Every structure is written in structure tokens, then in C-alpha cells.
Amino acid sequence: MKELIENMQNTFESFENDAKMQLESGNKAAGTRARKSSLALEKLLKEFRKVSIADSKK
């Protein structure tokens, strides 16, 4: 679970950096990377939910 949380943090940092670049400088490629990171983050959050529920049932 610790590894999952670290992966979520890294993915969010990537998303945040790319989103800022798109917003501040209009970088279209950064916008594409931000959207890709948001999808990856969504998958990680779903996985976290599964793991968290499984741990709470122990």
C-alpha cells in the first residue's frame, strides 16, 4: 500500500507540473501529458480504494 501511495504522489506531481505548463504558457503537449496523467491517477485511486477496503475487512 505504501508503494501505491508513493506512485499516486509521483503521478499527481507530474500532472500538476504539466497542467501548470499548459495553463501558464499554453503548451499543448503538456496538456496532453496532463490528461494522460489524470487517467493514470484515476486508475491508481480506484486501486487504492480496493486495497483500502480489503485492509479494513481484515
Side-chain angles (χ1 to χ4, degrees):
M1 186 152 171
K2 183 178 180 180
E3 182 179 318
L4 179 62
I5 292 172
E6 289 174 0
N7 196 359
M8 287 169 43
Q9 289 173 334
N10 292 336
T11 303
F12 182 76
E13 287 173 5
S14 296
F15 165 77
E16 188 176 31
N17 290 336
D18 289 331
K20 283 181 183 178
M21 284 197 313
Q22 180 189 17
L23 182 63
E24 293 172 358
S25 63
N27 187 334
K28 291 182 182 181
T32 302
R33 289 190 304 269
R35 289 189 296 276
K36 185 176 178 181
S37 293
S38 72
L39 291 174
L41 191 57
E42 180 183 16
K43 290 177 185 178
L44 290 170
L45 288 168
K46 286 180 181 181
E47 182 65 28
F48 174 78
R49 180 174 164 80
K50 289 178 188 177
V51 171
S52 178
I53 289 172
D55 282 350
S56 69
K57 290 182 180 180
K58 289 182 180 179

